[in-house]
Amino acid sequence: MSSPFDLPAAAAASDAPAPATASDAPAPAPAVGGAAEDRDTRPQYVLPLVVRLERADPPARTDALETSARAVLTLLADPRTTDPDGEWTERVAAWEDARIRKVVRRARGGEWRKAGELPGITVTGPGGAEVRVFPPIPLDGWPKELAKLQVSGTDLDDPEPPAPVPDGVPVLWLNPTLEMSAGKTMAQTGHAAQLAWWALDDAHRGKWAADGFPLAVRTAPTAAWPALTDGRLPVVRDAGFTEIAPGSATVVADHPALHAR
């Protein structure tokens, strides 16, 4: 939980105390100074993500996981975040200065429409999954439109097995030995995508963004998991507050550019 962030072999702690589904990790070392415990004393922010979950037409699980990851990347690359005087720049910097928390909630019907009226970005997956990401907010500063949304019950399935991943597409590999709800896994894939973003240089970030953030989420083959977590690639490790044991490696961010260094 308190280990420093070290690129590229990142091992980020994740998850916030129940009932929130969240990722909670050290900020990237290049972005901030001070020890990890110093970040715990700073004002804490959370990145809200809301998935549209209509009763009659829920998204496929993999589409939702991939869309959540793209939503996080889209916010990180948005000019409102990257420009020095951007509307969200200060809040994102404050969020990254402390613990990197993400909370996934679900909405349908009127709740989804009201959430869409708040500043944010809606990302739609190839299968129709919709995820809206909002700029970071203080842990105790949730807008009423989001505060009332439910965290639990975000359980999704894939009607068909995911297709093979095209060559050259970044993959967020899920731990094959863990069982996590869709909402928790969406937070984890969003965090893994952020670790990959931090690990890339500006040229590779720009190309990934220009291409529309292609990526895939797949469960790793059991035999391949030890090699994926050997320290060469960014790894999300869970703090163990909800669903799984502390220290569990949940997702590995495998971007082709990370193998070329």
Side-chain angles (χ1 to χ4, degrees):
M1 184 83 175
S2 61
S3 60
F5 188 93
D6 182 19
L7 294 174
S14 70
D15 211 349
T21 301
S23 295
D24 181 5
V32 298
E37 57 268 23
D38 293 337
R39 294 194 290 271
D40 289 329
T41 65
R42 295 171 183 164
Q44 300 294 307
Y45 287 76
V46 61
L47 186 80
L49 295 129
V50 176
V51 58
R52 186 176 186 181
L53 193 61
E54 302 289 349
R55 288 190 179 91
D57 189 25
R61 181 183 177 96
T62 296
D63 194 27
L65 299 181
E66 294 173 349
T67 304
S68 177
R70 288 193 191 96
V72 172
L73 292 167
T74 301
L75 181 133
L76 292 175
D78 191 280
R80 287 168 288 185
T81 296
T82 60
D83 290 351
D85 297 321
E87 180 183 353
W88 301 339
T89 301
E90 187 173 335
R91 274 190 283 172
V92 171
W95 171 59
E96 291 183 340
D97 261 359
R99 295 285 164 176
I100 307 301
R101 303 171 187 263
K102 298 180 182 69
V103 172
V104 177
R105 297 179 182 243
R106 58 185 172 88
R108 60 172 59 97
E111 292 176 336
W112 174 256
R113 289 190 293 274
K114 289 179 181 178
E117 295 172 358
L118 298 176
I121 305 169
T122 297
V123 176
T124 302
E130 293 180 78
V131 176
R132 188 164 179 84
V133 61
F134 303 87
I137 58 175
L139 281 178
D140 58 356
W142 283 80
K144 63 180 185 300
E145 294 88 349
L146 302 182
K148 65 182 180 181
L149 300 179
Q150 296 296 310
V151 176
S152 61
T154 311
D155 296 317
L156 303 170
D157 297 309
D158 281 317
E160 298 179 2
V165 180
D167 290 342
V169 171
V171 181
L172 307 180
W173 293 108
L174 304 177
N175 187 331
T177 68
L178 294 179
E179 293 288 338
M180 296 185 291
S181 66
K184 183 178 181 70
T185 312
M186 288 173 67
Q188 303 293 303
T189 57
H191 197 66
Q194 186 169 1
L195 294 184
W197 179 255
W198 283 340
L200 295 174
D201 59 29
D202 288 344
H204 285 105
R205 285 183 183 181
K207 185 179 187 308
W208 201 12
D211 291 343
F213 295 117
L215 60 83
V217 174
R218 298 292 186 271
T219 300
T222 302
W225 186 248
L228 287 169
T229 56
D230 67 1
R232 293 174 297 169
L233 296 170
V235 181
V236 180
R237 295 192 182 275
D238 197 80
F241 290 109
T242 63
E243 299 193 24
I244 58 177
S248 299
T250 58
V251 190
V252 172
D254 188 1
H255 191 291
L258 301 181
H259 293 269
R261 297 178 304 187

Coordinates of all heavy atoms in Angstrom, one line a residue, residues 18 27-28 78 178 229:
A18 N -14.6 -0.6 1.6 CA -15.9 -0.9 1.2 C -16.8 0.3 1.7 O -16.5 0.9 2.7 CB -16.4 -2.2 1.8
A27 N 1.0 7.7 -6.4 CA 1.1 8.5 -7.6 C 2.4 8.2 -8.2 O 3.3 7.7 -7.6 CB 1.1 10.0 -7.2
P28 N 2.5 8.5 -9.6 CA 3.8 8.2 -10.3 C 4.9 9.1 -9.7 O 4.8 10.3 -9.5 CB 3.5 8.6 -11.7 CG 2.4 9.6 -11.6 CD 1.6 9.2 -10.4
D78 N -7.1 14.4 -22.4 CA -7.9 15.5 -22.8 C -7.2 16.8 -22.5 O -6.6 17.0 -21.5 CB -9.3 15.4 -22.0 CG -10.3 16.4 -22.5 OD1 -10.2 17.6 -22.2 OD2 -11.2 15.9 -23.2
L178 N -8.3 -15.2 -10.0 CA -9.2 -14.3 -9.2 C -10.6 -14.2 -9.8 O -10.8 -14.2 -11.0 CB -8.6 -12.9 -9.1 CG -7.3 -12.8 -8.4 CD1 -6.8 -11.3 -8.4 CD2 -7.4 -13.3 -6.9
T229 N 4.0 -11.2 -14.5 CA 4.1 -10.4 -13.2 C 5.5 -10.5 -12.7 O 5.8 -10.3 -11.5 CB 3.1 -11.0 -12.1 OG1 3.4 -12.4 -12.0 CG2 1.7 -10.8 -12.5

